[in-house]
Amino acid sequence: MKLGFLGCGVISSAVVRGLAGQGHEMLVSRRSEATSAALAAEIEEVRVAENAEVVAGAEIVFLGLMAEHAADILCDLRFRPDQAVISFMAGADLDQVAELVAPARAAAVVMPFPGIARGGSPLMALGDQTLLETLFGARNTVFMVKGTAELNAYLSAQAVLSPAVALVGQAAQWLAQHSSDPAQGEAFLRVLVGSSLLGSECAPLIEALNTPGGYNQRLRIHMEQSGMPEALTAGLDNLKT
């Protein structure tokens, strides 16, 4: 496929890297010039172009722009009816994207994570599942949502990643004070938490870790009694409003 990327920030760059080596021709906009030049130097099938050339040369156009700047950037570009557009823009739903890229088809709103560069990453998505599975499904897991409200809820809930990482990091710092190899201690905790969550749903995993008087049960109860569940719910509610 001929793919075009408008905007070349962290997420767009990660998507380009994740799609490399699959036979696509990729045009990336000169915006964030150092990043686009680095991608072209790193990946044979990537070429840097002006925004108008990106749109003219692509079958599928990816929007990696800030939603508040998109209208000013896109208003002078000529999209075609035979093009599909996939947006990475938080805060712009499919109808809004459709208005910005008419007469092209607003195919999907997708929220990738940087891990898509190496594969094995989740993608929250609204829109054309067949197209998204074709592009990303072989290396990643596409989670389709039903409507803008559900996508916004997923956007809020995914923010649990940062406090979860902070908890692991704080535990690693504590462990570093009581062990001889801080790097090994952090690596152990990362593998422990990551592999455990990938291998089980949350409820049965908690039950499996619920040995009466065990370390996991005691720490979980301490955290619950300290107000962690209420603080998390309140934080998510604030994000969603």
Side-chain angles (χ1 to χ4, degrees):
M1 294 183 183
K2 295 181 179 180
L3 310 179
F5 292 81
L6 295 175
C8 198
V10 172
I11 295 302
S12 291
S13 299
V15 173
V16 169
R17 289 187 170 94
L19 291 171
Q22 299 182 54
H24 303 300
E25 298 176 29
M26 292 186 278
L27 292 170
V28 298
S29 66
R30 202 173 298 280
R31 186 180 177 90
S32 302
E33 189 160 0
T35 306
S36 59
L39 287 171
E42 174 187 337
I43 302 169
E44 183 178 358
E45 58 262 43
V46 171
R47 184 165 62 86
V48 180
E50 302 298 335
N51 286 349
E53 187 181 356
V54 170
V55 174
E59 301 168 77
I60 301 172
V61 179
F62 296 88
L63 303 182
L65 308 170
M66 299 296 290
E68 58 266 31
H69 302 313
D72 291 337
I73 294 171
L74 299 176
C75 64
D76 295 327
L77 301 178
R78 295 189 176 183
F79 292 87
R80 305 187 307 273
D82 64 335
Q83 289 175 309
V85 176
I86 297 174
S87 172
F88 302 148
M89 300 188 299
D93 62 25
L94 268 177
D95 290 338
Q96 292 170 316
V97 174
E99 292 179 9
L100 292 170
V101 302
R105 178 173 69 95
V109 173
V110 181
M111 297 296 145
F113 296 93
I116 197 172
R118 60 181 179 275
S121 179
L123 287 86
M124 302 175 288
L126 173 65
D128 186 339
Q129 182 173 4
T130 300
L131 177 59
L132 296 176
E133 292 286 358
T134 299
L135 286 167
F136 302 113
R139 297 185 178 180
N140 305 278
T141 305
V142 179
F143 292 88
M144 300 301 299
V145 301
K146 298 177 181 177
T148 301
E150 187 168 297
L151 179 61
N152 290 337
Y154 268 70
L155 279 169
S156 297
Q158 64 81 33
V160 74
L161 179 60
S162 180
V165 172
L167 281 174
V168 173
Q170 290 167 13
Q173 291 174 13
W174 181 91
L175 181 57
Q177 300 174 17
H178 302 276
S179 61
S180 60
D181 188 339
Q184 175 178 283
E186 179 178 318
F188 162 73
L189 291 173
R190 285 166 41 218
V191 172
L192 172 67
V193 174
S195 63
S196 297
L197 285 171
L198 283 174
S200 174
E201 295 178 356
C202 291
L205 179 57
I206 290 174
E207 184 58 33
L209 297 171
N210 203 31
T211 302
Y215 286 96
N216 278 277
Q217 185 195 64
R218 287 158 56 195
L219 182 58
R220 177 177 55 79
I221 291 174
H222 168 77
M223 300 295 285
E224 290 173 351
Q225 291 176 343
S226 298
M228 183 179 70
E230 293 79 11
L232 176 60
T233 299
L236 291 172
D237 288 339
N238 287 337
L239 290 174
K240 194 171 182 297
T241 56

